Amino acid sequence: MDTPREKDQVFDDYAAWFKALLPDATGFLCYDRHGRVFWRNGDKAQDFTPDYKSALAGLLSGDSDAELQAVDMDPGGAVLFPLTGSNTESHGVLAVIMSSLPLDPAALRQSLQPAIRTMQRELDLRFRLLENQRRLVVQAAEEKLLHHVESLVHKPQSSEASLRRILELCRKYLAVERAGIVVEGRGIRLLDADGLKGEERDVALKHMMNPDGGDKSMADLVTMPLEGIVTAGGGKLLLQGWSDSQFSRRRARRVARYLASHAVSALERDTDTLTGLPAWSVFEAQLQAACQSDDRADSLLMYLDVDQLHVINQNYGREIGDEVLRAFARILRTWFGTNLVTRISSDSFAALLEDLSPHEARQLGEDTCRRFHELEFFGAGKSFHAGVCVGIAPLTAGEKGASRSLAAAQVACRAAKDRGGNRVEAYEPADQSIMQRLDDIQLVGSVRAAIGEDRLVLLGQPILPLKRGNDLRYFEVLVRMLDEQGRMLPPAEFLSAAERYQLMDELDRRVVRMSLRMLAENGLRRRDSGVRLAINLSGQSLGNEGFLHFVKDEIEAMRVAPELLCFEITETVAVANMQRAQAFMHSLRKMGCRFSLDDFGTGLSSFSYLKLFPIDTLKIDGSFVKDIATNVVSQSVVAALSEVARVMELETVAEYVEKEDSLRLLRDLNVTWGQGYLLGEPVRLEEALVADRPSTCESAVTRKSL
Ligand code: C2E
Ligand code: CA
Ligand code: CA
């Protein structure tokens, strides 16, 4: 509180009055209620004795009702009178210093009373005036502060710049020594204070955040929580050092609450409104800074991609999709501590992990996958679970570091998706599949070009009857790609890339069209042409509704009998696309096409599946055939499959027939057809179609050995 000045004409008039009444008085002092001298007259203050100080403290504390206290000071003494306001509040103490202590202080009081009473009235008036003045000053300061802060909200600047400005304004108008803002999960730690350098500032802020109880300097700390979705990880406005401030504690808290709400609004501007996470721009700036920092090696970037959000949106509606994203963001906020997290696009998120080891980061990623997968969502009358894939990459230095690190984390995330989803992969340049991904990106361009530029070649491999009396010419169509140098690449080298980049549908269409054209061009259109082509189909084609129409249209356009075509679908693909596969098969089978279940025995291999699909042929996987002569397990698997097929009236094809003793065994086990290098390697399909076909396996084997 502002007190009257030490030199004061009006008070000096009192001194003259007191002196007239007390000739022994040599000096006068007035203390305010805090014990600060606000007026002095006469003698310079001498060294006050402990007795004097304790008498003064006693009167100021209001504990004693004494009308005065006399203190012997040798030489002389002092008499202290409490000064009381009209509402009996304390205005302080008047001390009269005397050359000798009077014998009867009470008589002294008596003689001084009128003068003291007048002085008290004077003080009363002055303090009331001052109080009003103070109120006006505070009110004006508050108004100015709030006005400035309000206009900040509309200013186009980063939220951090706005927060800095709020702190400056606090210092200026509230007159506090230190003003700070901390927002956990955003990495925001700001302190406005005089005379503190970098590290001291951090220490001071930490101290303000966790003051220890006994610390007197923190007794006047005002802490106001920042409340909102942006600061769900925790946030505080901290104001400390109020001794110069005119704001009462209550008023200060009210203003602080208001400032806190404005700080939250400032933060909201840089925030993803759906999830409450910091906007990408905020994240990007910090990522860039981290990539350029010397401590780069201690940080990792995590990329998180929620599985199949578009499917969730489609099946359950956008609102449920949003709920899934919000739930995921809550997990990130709860478990990622002070590490910065953001939402990059609709379903992808990123986290900047500081000071986590690769092992800890992976653990955190795995825990996140698990926690998210455990959540149960409800939509369209059903409950469902969602998944997420996580990729982790180190930070790359340099100007393009941020985008390079992000690309690496994305690649790792794709690898996690390829390996089944709901898992974590770290970017390691030595990782085969990750390298494959990078290769794929280049390869896929050439696959696309090969499809576009007719650089696909079809081979045909004969499938021969194991028993006499069947002269059907049956071939499996196998695709090859010619690379830019004209080399023939086997499917193993390009199918995985084509699959990952959703090119299989296009590739299968091309193979179907080329096969039909080859039949048509070689005069093999009719049902009785004695030819059958087995064409492999992928899951992507089966999953695509347009594919069925394409096949039907092509068959009709080329006028090829559907009976000449047999489509091979692997057991795994058929089961994964159960309904589509069934519809596809039924529809084409009605036209006369046939179906084989390929690679049977390696997938789920449940015989019950056989009943679900309208198939004609079971293709026993080559791995059982290859070693059938030496492996009793393989032998019993083939025996069982052959028996089931017989009961269900299905034909069987054994692939990978490489040895003569295998051939004999297969025949004994009543397998219908054989295919393999022993019986005929794949050759160009048009050659296969026109060439003489060996009528039996024996002639194929003999011809080969010639
Ligand atoms: P698949 O359908 O199981 O085809 C049989 C594969 O086994 C062929 O490899 C064939 O060359 C090979 N093979 C034939 N006889 C033997 C043998 O005696 N021993 C051994 N070890 N292998 C033998 P290819 O041509 O490299 O094809 C590999 C896979 O690529 C095929 O497996 C099929 O899944 C896929 N594929 C090939 N052509 C097409 C196509 O036109 N469309 C689609 N969607 N997939 C195709
Ligand atoms: Ca096949
Ligand atoms: Ca096969």
Side-chain angles (χ1 to χ4, degrees), residues 608-673:
S608 60
Y609 284 128
L610 291 177
K611 279 188 269 174
L612 294 175
F613 300 106
I615 52 165
D616 308 274
T617 315
L618 208 59
K619 273 194 100 166
I620 302 167
D621 190 74
S623 57
F624 302 109
V625 178
K626 231 176 167 166
D627 64 353
I628 189 169
T630 51
N631 185 333
V632 283
V633 176
S634 296
Q635 203 172 316
S636 53
V637 169
V638 176
L641 293 182
S642 172
E643 181 55 20
V644 170
R646 191 187 61 79
V647 172
M648 296 182 72
E649 300 181 323
L650 301 174
E651 293 187 343
T652 41
V653 176
E655 37 174 36
Y656 295 14
V657 182
E658 294 174 347
K659 296 195 195 95
E660 285 183 58
D661 40 2
S662 316
L663 184 64
R664 261 193 305 277
L665 268 168
L666 291 168
R667 190 174 282 133
D668 290 347
L669 292 172
N670 288 315
V671 173
T672 329
W673 304 91

Side-chain angles (χ1 to χ4, degrees), residues 531-591:
V531 173
R532 180 187 296 166
L533 286 190
I535 298 176
N536 291 288
L537 295 184
S538 66
Q540 278 167 24
S541 314
L542 274 186
N544 185 337
E545 225 169 330
F547 188 74
L548 171 63
H549 302 295
F550 171 84
V551 175
K552 280 184 171 175
D553 291 349
E554 285 293 305
I555 292 175
E556 274 162 28
M558 296 281 187
R559 289 181 291 113
V560 170
E563 288 77 4
L564 308 191
L565 302 182
C566 173
F567 293 101
E568 295 195 356
I569 297 173
T570 65
E571 181 199 359
T572 330
V573 163
V575 172
N577 304 274
M578 183 83 78
Q579 278 166 356
R580 279 277 165 84
Q582 284 170 331
F584 183 88
M585 288 172 158
H586 279 296
S587 180
L588 285 177
R589 210 154 175 269
K590 238 187 249 159
M591 286 176 72

